mmCIF file of all heavy atoms in Angstrom:
data_model
loop_
_atom_site.group_PDB
_atom_site.id
_atom_site.type_symbol
_atom_site.label_atom_id
_atom_site.label_comp_id
_atom_site.label_asym_id
_atom_site.label_seq_id
_atom_site.Cartn_x
_atom_site.Cartn_y
_atom_site.Cartn_z
ATOM 1 N N LYS A 842 -8.438 6.500 -6.463
ATOM 2 C CA LYS A 842 -8.132 6.414 -7.892
ATOM 3 C C LYS A 842 -7.760 7.778 -8.449
ATOM 4 O O LYS A 842 -8.425 8.771 -8.170
ATOM 5 C CB LYS A 842 -9.324 5.822 -8.647
ATOM 6 C CG LYS A 842 -9.007 5.382 -10.055
ATOM 7 C CD LYS A 842 -10.163 4.611 -10.639
ATOM 8 C CE LYS A 842 -9.812 4.027 -11.999
ATOM 9 N NZ LYS A 842 -10.919 3.225 -12.575
ATOM 10 N N GLY A 843 -6.671 7.797 -9.198
ATOM 11 C CA GLY A 843 -6.206 9.051 -9.772
ATOM 12 C C GLY A 843 -5.215 9.794 -8.889
ATOM 13 O O GLY A 843 -4.558 10.731 -9.349
ATOM 14 N N ARG A 844 -5.102 9.371 -7.622
ATOM 15 C CA ARG A 844 -4.169 10.022 -6.698
ATOM 16 C C ARG A 844 -3.078 9.064 -6.213
ATOM 17 O O ARG A 844 -1.960 9.499 -5.948
ATOM 18 C CB ARG A 844 -4.929 10.555 -5.470
ATOM 19 C CG ARG A 844 -6.009 11.573 -5.809
ATOM 20 C CD ARG A 844 -6.614 12.182 -4.539
ATOM 21 N NE ARG A 844 -7.283 11.180 -3.707
ATOM 22 C CZ ARG A 844 -6.927 10.905 -2.463
ATOM 23 N NH1 ARG A 844 -5.914 11.540 -1.882
ATOM 24 N NH2 ARG A 844 -7.601 9.988 -1.764
ATOM 25 N N PHE A 845 -3.398 7.797 -6.086
ATOM 26 C CA PHE A 845 -2.442 6.793 -5.600
ATOM 27 C C PHE A 845 -1.989 5.910 -6.757
ATOM 28 O O PHE A 845 -2.765 5.626 -7.687
ATOM 29 C CB PHE A 845 -3.086 5.897 -4.539
ATOM 30 C CG PHE A 845 -3.373 6.560 -3.212
ATOM 31 C CD1 PHE A 845 -3.288 7.938 -3.047
ATOM 32 C CD2 PHE A 845 -3.729 5.799 -2.117
ATOM 33 C CE1 PHE A 845 -3.549 8.539 -1.829
ATOM 34 C CE2 PHE A 845 -3.998 6.371 -0.883
ATOM 35 C CZ PHE A 845 -3.912 7.753 -0.748
ATOM 36 N N THR A 846 -0.738 5.449 -6.679
ATOM 37 C CA THR A 846 -0.198 4.518 -7.658
ATOM 38 C C THR A 846 0.520 3.391 -6.922
ATOM 39 O O THR A 846 1.467 3.647 -6.169
ATOM 40 C CB THR A 846 0.782 5.208 -8.608
ATOM 41 O OG1 THR A 846 0.121 6.285 -9.284
ATOM 42 C CG2 THR A 846 1.291 4.224 -9.656
ATOM 43 N N ILE A 847 0.076 2.167 -7.153
ATOM 44 C CA ILE A 847 0.706 1.002 -6.543
ATOM 45 C C ILE A 847 1.680 0.396 -7.545
ATOM 46 O O ILE A 847 1.431 0.393 -8.755
ATOM 47 C CB ILE A 847 -0.344 -0.043 -6.103
ATOM 48 C CG1 ILE A 847 0.313 -1.178 -5.312
ATOM 49 C CG2 ILE A 847 -1.141 -0.562 -7.290
ATOM 50 C CD1 ILE A 847 -0.692 -2.140 -4.683
ATOM 51 N N SER A 848 2.808 -0.081 -7.038
ATOM 52 C CA SER A 848 3.786 -0.738 -7.898
ATOM 53 C C SER A 848 4.530 -1.785 -7.087
ATOM 54 O O SER A 848 4.518 -1.754 -5.856
ATOM 55 C CB SER A 848 4.750 0.270 -8.509
ATOM 56 O OG SER A 848 5.489 0.936 -7.496
ATOM 57 N N ARG A 849 5.178 -2.682 -7.796
ATOM 58 C CA ARG A 849 5.936 -3.730 -7.128
ATOM 59 C C ARG A 849 7.259 -3.921 -7.834
ATOM 60 O O ARG A 849 7.322 -3.810 -9.070
ATOM 61 C CB ARG A 849 5.150 -5.038 -7.077
ATOM 62 C CG ARG A 849 4.819 -5.629 -8.441
ATOM 63 C CD ARG A 849 3.763 -6.732 -8.349
ATOM 64 N NE ARG A 849 4.254 -7.924 -7.676
ATOM 65 C CZ ARG A 849 3.474 -8.958 -7.345
ATOM 66 N NH1 ARG A 849 2.186 -8.925 -7.630
ATOM 67 N NH2 ARG A 849 3.984 -10.021 -6.747
ATOM 68 N N ASP A 850 8.286 -4.232 -7.069
ATOM 69 C CA ASP A 850 9.599 -4.563 -7.617
ATOM 70 C C ASP A 850 9.871 -5.992 -7.179
ATOM 71 O O ASP A 850 10.300 -6.245 -6.053
ATOM 72 C CB ASP A 850 10.668 -3.599 -7.086
ATOM 73 C CG ASP A 850 12.018 -3.828 -7.744
ATOM 74 O OD1 ASP A 850 12.307 -4.971 -8.160
ATOM 75 O OD2 ASP A 850 12.796 -2.859 -7.830
ATOM 76 N N ASN A 851 9.602 -6.932 -8.071
ATOM 77 C CA ASN A 851 9.739 -8.340 -7.702
ATOM 78 C C ASN A 851 11.183 -8.714 -7.379
ATOM 79 O O ASN A 851 11.436 -9.559 -6.527
ATOM 80 C CB ASN A 851 9.195 -9.231 -8.819
ATOM 81 C CG ASN A 851 7.685 -9.127 -8.956
ATOM 82 O OD1 ASN A 851 6.968 -8.865 -7.991
ATOM 83 N ND2 ASN A 851 7.201 -9.317 -10.168
ATOM 84 N N ALA A 852 12.127 -8.090 -8.030
ATOM 85 C CA ALA A 852 13.540 -8.399 -7.779
ATOM 86 C C ALA A 852 13.949 -7.987 -6.370
ATOM 87 O O ALA A 852 14.810 -8.615 -5.754
ATOM 88 C CB ALA A 852 14.420 -7.703 -8.808
ATOM 89 N N LYS A 853 13.325 -6.927 -5.868
ATOM 90 C CA LYS A 853 13.654 -6.438 -4.528
ATOM 91 C C LYS A 853 12.656 -6.913 -3.478
ATOM 92 O O LYS A 853 12.767 -6.542 -2.304
ATOM 93 C CB LYS A 853 13.701 -4.907 -4.519
ATOM 94 C CG LYS A 853 14.813 -4.313 -5.373
ATOM 95 C CD LYS A 853 14.831 -2.781 -5.262
ATOM 96 C CE LYS A 853 15.959 -2.189 -6.079
ATOM 97 N NZ LYS A 853 15.977 -0.703 -5.993
ATOM 98 N N ASN A 854 11.655 -7.708 -3.896
ATOM 99 C CA ASN A 854 10.612 -8.158 -2.969
ATOM 100 C C ASN A 854 9.971 -6.999 -2.232
ATOM 101 O O ASN A 854 9.741 -7.054 -1.017
ATOM 102 C CB ASN A 854 11.184 -9.152 -1.952
ATOM 103 C CG ASN A 854 11.425 -10.516 -2.558
ATOM 104 O OD1 ASN A 854 10.639 -10.985 -3.371
ATOM 105 N ND2 ASN A 854 12.517 -11.141 -2.177
ATOM 106 N N THR A 855 9.674 -5.936 -2.964
ATOM 107 C CA THR A 855 9.153 -4.725 -2.335
ATOM 108 C C THR A 855 7.921 -4.220 -3.063
ATOM 109 O O THR A 855 7.865 -4.252 -4.300
ATOM 110 C CB THR A 855 10.235 -3.634 -2.293
ATOM 111 O OG1 THR A 855 11.383 -4.141 -1.611
ATOM 112 C CG2 THR A 855 9.738 -2.403 -1.550
ATOM 113 N N LEU A 856 6.973 -3.742 -2.277
ATOM 114 C CA LEU A 856 5.747 -3.152 -2.788
ATOM 115 C C LEU A 856 5.732 -1.676 -2.407
ATOM 116 O O LEU A 856 6.173 -1.311 -1.311
ATOM 117 C CB LEU A 856 4.547 -3.870 -2.150
ATOM 118 C CG LEU A 856 3.148 -3.546 -2.649
ATOM 119 C CD1 LEU A 856 2.951 -4.124 -4.045
ATOM 120 C CD2 LEU A 856 2.128 -4.131 -1.682
ATOM 121 N N TYR A 857 5.232 -0.832 -3.302
ATOM 122 C CA TYR A 857 5.216 0.616 -3.058
ATOM 123 C C TYR A 857 3.804 1.165 -3.237
ATOM 124 O O TYR A 857 2.973 0.593 -3.942
ATOM 125 C CB TYR A 857 6.141 1.337 -4.038
ATOM 126 C CG TYR A 857 7.569 0.876 -4.009
ATOM 127 C CD1 TYR A 857 8.046 -0.041 -4.949
ATOM 128 C CD2 TYR A 857 8.459 1.357 -3.049
ATOM 129 C CE1 TYR A 857 9.364 -0.466 -4.932
ATOM 130 C CE2 TYR A 857 9.774 0.937 -3.028
ATOM 131 C CZ TYR A 857 10.215 0.029 -3.966
ATOM 132 O OH TYR A 857 11.529 -0.393 -3.938
ATOM 133 N N LEU A 858 3.587 2.321 -2.596
ATOM 134 C CA LEU A 858 2.330 3.042 -2.814
ATOM 135 C C LEU A 858 2.660 4.534 -2.901
ATOM 136 O O LEU A 858 2.919 5.182 -1.878
ATOM 137 C CB LEU A 858 1.328 2.784 -1.695
ATOM 138 C CG LEU A 858 -0.057 3.393 -1.917
ATOM 139 C CD1 LEU A 858 -0.745 2.699 -3.097
ATOM 140 C CD2 LEU A 858 -0.925 3.273 -0.663
ATOM 141 N N GLN A 859 2.677 5.063 -4.105
ATOM 142 C CA GLN A 859 2.883 6.497 -4.278
ATOM 143 C C GLN A 859 1.560 7.196 -4.034
ATOM 144 O O GLN A 859 0.571 6.935 -4.730
ATOM 145 C CB GLN A 859 3.384 6.795 -5.693
ATOM 146 C CG GLN A 859 3.586 8.277 -5.975
ATOM 147 C CD GLN A 859 4.700 8.867 -5.144
ATOM 148 O OE1 GLN A 859 5.782 8.309 -5.049
ATOM 149 N NE2 GLN A 859 4.445 10.034 -4.539
ATOM 150 N N MET A 860 1.538 8.075 -3.039
ATOM 151 C CA MET A 860 0.311 8.763 -2.662
ATOM 152 C C MET A 860 0.485 10.259 -2.915
ATOM 153 O O MET A 860 1.331 10.900 -2.285
ATOM 154 C CB MET A 860 -0.006 8.504 -1.180
ATOM 155 C CG MET A 860 -0.082 7.037 -0.816
ATOM 156 S SD MET A 860 -0.737 6.733 0.838
ATOM 157 C CE MET A 860 0.507 7.532 1.815
ATOM 158 N N ASN A 861 -0.284 10.796 -3.825
ATOM 159 C CA ASN A 861 -0.241 12.213 -4.160
ATOM 160 C C ASN A 861 -1.558 12.874 -3.788
ATOM 161 O O ASN A 861 -2.561 12.208 -3.555
ATOM 162 C CB ASN A 861 0.019 12.387 -5.653
ATOM 163 C CG ASN A 861 1.354 11.826 -6.089
ATOM 164 O OD1 ASN A 861 2.318 11.791 -5.321
ATOM 165 N ND2 ASN A 861 1.421 11.358 -7.327
ATOM 166 N N SER A 862 -1.550 14.190 -3.750
ATOM 167 C CA SER A 862 -2.761 14.970 -3.459
ATOM 168 C C SER A 862 -3.475 14.429 -2.224
ATOM 169 O O SER A 862 -4.693 14.205 -2.242
ATOM 170 C CB SER A 862 -3.699 14.947 -4.668
ATOM 171 O OG SER A 862 -3.050 15.458 -5.818
ATOM 172 N N LEU A 863 -2.720 14.228 -1.168
ATOM 173 C CA LEU A 863 -3.271 13.616 0.030
ATOM 174 C C LEU A 863 -4.319 14.502 0.688
ATOM 175 O O LEU A 863 -4.223 15.743 0.675
ATOM 176 C CB LEU A 863 -2.154 13.289 1.014
ATOM 177 C CG LEU A 863 -1.365 12.022 0.657
ATOM 178 C CD1 LEU A 863 -0.023 11.977 1.369
ATOM 179 C CD2 LEU A 863 -2.179 10.782 0.976
ATOM 180 N N LYS A 864 -5.319 13.839 1.268
ATOM 181 C CA LYS A 864 -6.427 14.517 1.934
ATOM 182 C C LYS A 864 -6.474 14.074 3.403
ATOM 183 O O LYS A 864 -5.999 12.979 3.732
ATOM 184 C CB LYS A 864 -7.747 14.135 1.255
ATOM 185 C CG LYS A 864 -7.803 14.411 -0.227
ATOM 186 C CD LYS A 864 -9.102 13.899 -0.825
ATOM 187 C CE LYS A 864 -9.186 14.145 -2.318
ATOM 188 N NZ LYS A 864 -10.455 13.627 -2.895
ATOM 189 N N PRO A 865 -7.072 14.878 4.254
ATOM 190 C CA PRO A 865 -7.184 14.468 5.661
ATOM 191 C C PRO A 865 -7.860 13.108 5.831
ATOM 192 O O PRO A 865 -7.501 12.353 6.744
ATOM 193 C CB PRO A 865 -8.024 15.593 6.278
ATOM 194 C CG PRO A 865 -7.688 16.796 5.455
ATOM 195 C CD PRO A 865 -7.528 16.270 4.059
ATOM 196 N N GLU A 866 -8.780 12.785 4.952
ATOM 197 C CA GLU A 866 -9.467 11.494 5.062
ATOM 198 C C GLU A 866 -8.588 10.308 4.667
ATOM 199 O O GLU A 866 -9.003 9.157 4.812
ATOM 200 C CB GLU A 866 -10.756 11.482 4.233
ATOM 201 C CG GLU A 866 -10.594 11.934 2.806
ATOM 202 C CD GLU A 866 -10.937 13.409 2.602
ATOM 203 O OE1 GLU A 866 -10.532 14.248 3.449
ATOM 204 O OE2 GLU A 866 -11.603 13.710 1.584
ATOM 205 N N ASP A 867 -7.400 10.565 4.168
ATOM 206 C CA ASP A 867 -6.438 9.492 3.897
ATOM 207 C C ASP A 867 -5.675 9.084 5.164
ATOM 208 O O ASP A 867 -4.909 8.115 5.138
ATOM 209 C CB ASP A 867 -5.430 9.918 2.831
ATOM 210 C CG ASP A 867 -6.077 10.156 1.471
ATOM 211 O OD1 ASP A 867 -6.934 9.349 1.077
ATOM 212 O OD2 ASP A 867 -5.702 11.147 0.809
ATOM 213 N N THR A 868 -5.866 9.823 6.240
ATOM 214 C CA THR A 868 -5.192 9.506 7.489
ATOM 215 C C THR A 868 -5.593 8.115 7.976
ATOM 216 O O THR A 868 -6.774 7.818 8.122
ATOM 217 C CB THR A 868 -5.538 10.550 8.571
ATOM 218 O OG1 THR A 868 -5.018 11.822 8.171
ATOM 219 C CG2 THR A 868 -4.957 10.163 9.917
ATOM 220 N N ALA A 869 -4.583 7.260 8.179
ATOM 221 C CA ALA A 869 -4.834 5.872 8.564
ATOM 222 C C ALA A 869 -3.491 5.169 8.763
ATOM 223 O O ALA A 869 -2.442 5.726 8.435
ATOM 224 C CB ALA A 869 -5.621 5.140 7.480
ATOM 225 N N VAL A 870 -3.559 3.954 9.285
ATOM 226 C CA VAL A 870 -2.397 3.072 9.272
ATOM 227 C C VAL A 870 -2.489 2.239 8.002
ATOM 228 O O VAL A 870 -3.536 1.655 7.701
ATOM 229 C CB VAL A 870 -2.352 2.162 10.512
ATOM 230 C CG1 VAL A 870 -1.127 1.251 10.458
ATOM 231 C CG2 VAL A 870 -2.330 3.004 11.779
ATOM 232 N N TYR A 871 -1.403 2.216 7.259
ATOM 233 C CA TYR A 871 -1.363 1.515 5.981
ATOM 234 C C TYR A 871 -0.593 0.205 6.128
ATOM 235 O O TYR A 871 0.498 0.177 6.717
ATOM 236 C CB TYR A 871 -0.721 2.396 4.910
ATOM 237 C CG TYR A 871 -1.656 3.483 4.440
ATOM 238 C CD1 TYR A 871 -1.961 4.565 5.255
ATOM 239 C CD2 TYR A 871 -2.255 3.421 3.178
ATOM 240 C CE1 TYR A 871 -2.840 5.561 4.838
ATOM 241 C CE2 TYR A 871 -3.135 4.409 2.749
ATOM 242 C CZ TYR A 871 -3.424 5.465 3.586
ATOM 243 O OH TYR A 871 -4.296 6.446 3.163
ATOM 244 N N TYR A 872 -1.167 -0.864 5.564
ATOM 245 C CA TYR A 872 -0.604 -2.205 5.633
ATOM 246 C C TYR A 872 -0.529 -2.801 4.226
ATOM 247 O O TYR A 872 -1.313 -2.443 3.350
ATOM 248 C CB TYR A 872 -1.501 -3.129 6.448
ATOM 249 C CG TYR A 872 -1.832 -2.692 7.852
ATOM 250 C CD1 TYR A 872 -2.898 -1.839 8.101
ATOM 251 C CD2 TYR A 872 -1.093 -3.159 8.938
ATOM 252 C CE1 TYR A 872 -3.219 -1.450 9.400
ATOM 253 C CE2 TYR A 872 -1.404 -2.787 10.223
ATOM 254 C CZ TYR A 872 -2.473 -1.929 10.452
ATOM 255 O OH TYR A 872 -2.779 -1.546 11.725
ATOM 256 N N CYS A 873 0.373 -3.756 4.055
ATOM 257 C CA CYS A 873 0.359 -4.529 2.817
ATOM 258 C C CYS A 873 0.057 -5.990 3.162
ATOM 259 O O CYS A 873 0.313 -6.463 4.270
ATOM 260 C CB CYS A 873 1.684 -4.428 2.074
ATOM 261 S SG CYS A 873 3.064 -5.247 2.871
ATOM 262 N N ASN A 874 -0.511 -6.682 2.196
ATOM 263 C CA ASN A 874 -0.819 -8.094 2.359
ATOM 264 C C ASN A 874 -1.194 -8.641 0.994
ATOM 265 O O ASN A 874 -1.342 -7.909 0.016
ATOM 266 C CB ASN A 874 -1.981 -8.292 3.344
ATOM 267 C CG ASN A 874 -1.893 -9.614 4.094
ATOM 268 O OD1 ASN A 874 -1.567 -10.650 3.507
ATOM 269 N ND2 ASN A 874 -2.147 -9.581 5.394
ATOM 270 N N THR A 875 -1.333 -9.949 0.912
ATOM 271 C CA THR A 875 -1.829 -10.557 -0.304
ATOM 272 C C THR A 875 -3.315 -10.254 -0.433
ATOM 273 O O THR A 875 -3.959 -9.818 0.534
ATOM 274 C CB THR A 875 -1.602 -12.069 -0.297
ATOM 275 O OG1 THR A 875 -2.445 -12.649 0.704
ATOM 276 C CG2 THR A 875 -0.150 -12.408 0.016
ATOM 277 N N LEU A 876 -3.874 -10.508 -1.603
ATOM 278 C CA LEU A 876 -5.296 -10.242 -1.783
ATOM 279 C C LEU A 876 -6.150 -11.146 -0.904
ATOM 280 O O LEU A 876 -7.241 -10.768 -0.474
ATOM 281 C CB LEU A 876 -5.670 -10.404 -3.254
ATOM 282 C CG LEU A 876 -6.896 -9.633 -3.724
ATOM 283 C CD1 LEU A 876 -6.697 -8.135 -3.525
ATOM 284 C CD2 LEU A 876 -7.187 -9.925 -5.191
ATOM 285 N N SER A 877 -5.638 -12.331 -0.613
ATOM 286 C CA SER A 877 -6.350 -13.259 0.261
ATOM 287 C C SER A 877 -5.976 -13.082 1.729
ATOM 288 O O SER A 877 -6.389 -13.854 2.581
ATOM 289 C CB SER A 877 -6.071 -14.702 -0.166
ATOM 290 O OG SER A 877 -4.683 -14.966 -0.088
ATOM 291 N N GLN A 878 -5.153 -12.062 1.991
ATOM 292 C CA GLN A 878 -4.723 -11.745 3.358
ATOM 293 C C GLN A 878 -4.043 -12.937 4.024
ATOM 294 O O GLN A 878 -4.273 -13.231 5.196
ATOM 295 C CB GLN A 878 -5.897 -11.244 4.203
ATOM 296 C CG GLN A 878 -6.565 -10.013 3.611
ATOM 297 C CD GLN A 878 -7.742 -9.522 4.414
ATOM 298 O OE1 GLN A 878 -7.878 -9.813 5.599
ATOM 299 N NE2 GLN A 878 -8.613 -8.755 3.773
ATOM 300 N N SER A 879 -3.186 -13.618 3.259
ATOM 301 C CA SER A 879 -2.540 -14.823 3.766
ATOM 302 C C SER A 879 -1.305 -14.539 4.610
ATOM 303 O O SER A 879 -0.815 -15.433 5.293
ATOM 304 C CB SER A 879 -2.166 -15.734 2.598
ATOM 305 O OG SER A 879 -1.299 -15.060 1.705
ATOM 306 N N TYR A 880 -0.773 -13.331 4.539
ATOM 307 C CA TYR A 880 0.360 -12.966 5.379
ATOM 308 C C TYR A 880 -0.124 -12.632 6.792
ATOM 309 O O TYR A 880 -1.280 -12.219 6.986
ATOM 310 C CB TYR A 880 1.080 -11.740 4.830
ATOM 311 C CG TYR A 880 1.945 -11.961 3.619
ATOM 312 C CD1 TYR A 880 2.567 -10.887 2.985
ATOM 313 C CD2 TYR A 880 2.178 -13.222 3.090
ATOM 314 C CE1 TYR A 880 3.375 -11.067 1.879
ATOM 315 C CE2 TYR A 880 2.986 -13.404 1.983
ATOM 316 C CZ TYR A 880 3.569 -12.317 1.377
ATOM 317 O OH TYR A 880 4.378 -12.491 0.286
ATOM 318 N N THR A 881 0.774 -12.772 7.744
ATOM 319 C CA THR A 881 0.516 -12.220 9.066
ATOM 320 C C THR A 881 0.582 -10.695 8.956
ATOM 321 O O THR A 881 1.509 -10.167 8.331
ATOM 322 C CB THR A 881 1.573 -12.713 10.074
ATOM 323 O OG1 THR A 881 1.513 -14.140 10.164
ATOM 324 C CG2 THR A 881 1.349 -12.107 11.440
ATOM 325 N N TRP A 882 -0.375 -10.005 9.548
ATOM 326 C CA TRP A 882 -0.386 -8.557 9.442
ATOM 327 C C TRP A 882 0.843 -7.969 10.143
ATOM 328 O O TRP A 882 1.206 -8.362 11.247
ATOM 329 C CB TRP A 882 -1.653 -7.972 10.058
ATOM 330 C CG TRP A 882 -2.884 -8.267 9.264
ATOM 331 C CD1 TRP A 882 -3.818 -9.224 9.519
ATOM 332 C CD2 TRP A 882 -3.287 -7.628 8.048
ATOM 333 N NE1 TRP A 882 -4.784 -9.223 8.550
ATOM 334 C CE2 TRP A 882 -4.499 -8.243 7.626
ATOM 335 C CE3 TRP A 882 -2.767 -6.594 7.271
ATOM 336 C CZ2 TRP A 882 -5.185 -7.865 6.476
ATOM 337 C CZ3 TRP A 882 -3.447 -6.228 6.122
ATOM 338 C CH2 TRP A 882 -4.637 -6.841 5.730
ATOM 339 N N GLY A 883 1.488 -7.000 9.473
ATOM 340 C CA GLY A 883 2.611 -6.305 10.064
ATOM 341 C C GLY A 883 2.139 -5.175 10.961
ATOM 342 O O GLY A 883 0.945 -5.055 11.264
ATOM 343 N N GLN A 884 3.074 -4.327 11.368
ATOM 344 C CA GLN A 884 2.753 -3.204 12.240
ATOM 345 C C GLN A 884 2.108 -2.054 11.479
ATOM 346 O O GLN A 884 1.450 -1.197 12.066
ATOM 347 C CB GLN A 884 4.021 -2.700 12.930
ATOM 348 C CG GLN A 884 4.614 -3.701 13.900
ATOM 349 C CD GLN A 884 3.665 -4.026 15.032
ATOM 350 O OE1 GLN A 884 3.145 -3.145 15.704
ATOM 351 N NE2 GLN A 884 3.420 -5.320 15.245
#
């Protein structure tokens, strides 16, 4: 909170995550999904 900003462009069917002030503990694989995790997980 305060460093990341999530947004969506419904017209483009695209989800974004602006990540600022990154820290070593942010190191990870990042995925998108619905809140109920109904999509098949991507790479």
Side-chain angles (χ1 to χ4, degrees):
K842 194 171 186 178
R844 300 187 297 120
F845 290 11
T846 302
I847 187 172
S848 62
R849 62 194 292 172
D850 186 331
N851 291 331
K853 295 182 178 179
N854 285 322
T855 304
L856 187 71
Y857 303 98
L858 186 67
Q859 178 66 47
M860 305 190 297
N861 298 330
S862 302
L863 282 162
K864 304 175 181 179
E866 51 264 43
D867 295 317
T868 295
V870 180
Y871 285 72
Y872 304 86
C873 69
N874 210 318
T875 68
L876 205 60
S877 60
Q878 302 179 21
S879 59
Y880 285 175
T881 299
W882 290 101
Q884 294 298 308

